[in-house]
Amino acid sequence: MAAEKAIRTLVKRGEPITFQAVQREADVSHAFLYNHPDLRGRIERLRTQARPVPAPTPPADEQSTLVLALTGQITRLKKQHREEVQALRDALEQAHGENLDLRRELTRRGGTASVSQ
């Protein structure tokens, strides 16, 4: 029977078994598949087996605990980021100041550095 062969072909190819897929592969009508109880049952079983089981959603109190933990972690990371950026800005400002001092000293000793600032 064409529908049986179509089911075997779809299984071998690892494709989902649905009424539409079997209909297309076997070139038969939906009515044909639904009117044959053995085919209909097999397609329904295979279709159910192929469906992924959804991950259970955690209870609301676990979700709120997770949200609170992640929010706290984000807050700590933002604070750490701000502190690191400020430390880098301070270090850059100090480096600019030292660079300016060194250029001025070089100019004072007769070098050719141009001092801007």
Side-chain angles (χ1 to χ4, degrees):
M1 171 180 278
E4 290 287 340
K5 184 178 178 193
I7 292 171
R8 285 192 300 273
T9 302
L10 291 169
V11 168
K12 283 180 187 176
R13 289 195 306 227
E15 294 183 24
I17 307 301
T18 64
F19 283 96
Q20 189 174 26
V22 174
Q23 172 193 355
R24 195 173 40 245
E25 186 72 27
D27 197 25
V28 295
S29 68
H30 266 59
F32 176 82
L33 296 174
Y34 279 102
N35 288 332
H36 287 82
D38 55 331
L39 284 174
R40 182 177 183 170
R42 185 162 179 216
I43 292 169
E44 288 173 346
R45 273 191 312 281
L46 290 169
R47 181 178 59 185
T48 304
Q49 290 173 359
R51 282 196 186 130
V53 177
T57 56
D61 59 337
E62 284 183 36
Q63 286 181 338
S64 62
T65 302
L66 180 61
V67 169
L68 288 173
L70 291 173
T71 302
Q73 185 178 10
I74 289 171
T75 302
R76 285 189 302 278
L77 289 171
K78 281 182 174 180
K79 181 181 179 194
Q80 180 184 353
H81 180 258
R82 280 192 302 272
E83 290 170 352
E84 288 173 356
V85 167
Q86 187 58 50
L88 289 170
R89 285 184 176 148
D90 292 345
L92 181 61
E93 187 177 327
Q94 182 179 354
H96 280 306
E98 290 173 5
N99 190 4
L100 182 60
D101 290 343
L102 290 171
R103 286 174 179 252
R104 286 181 178 155
E105 179 64 23
L106 183 62
T107 302
R108 190 182 63 76
R109 291 187 181 191
T112 58
S114 63
V115 179
S116 62
Q117 286 186 344

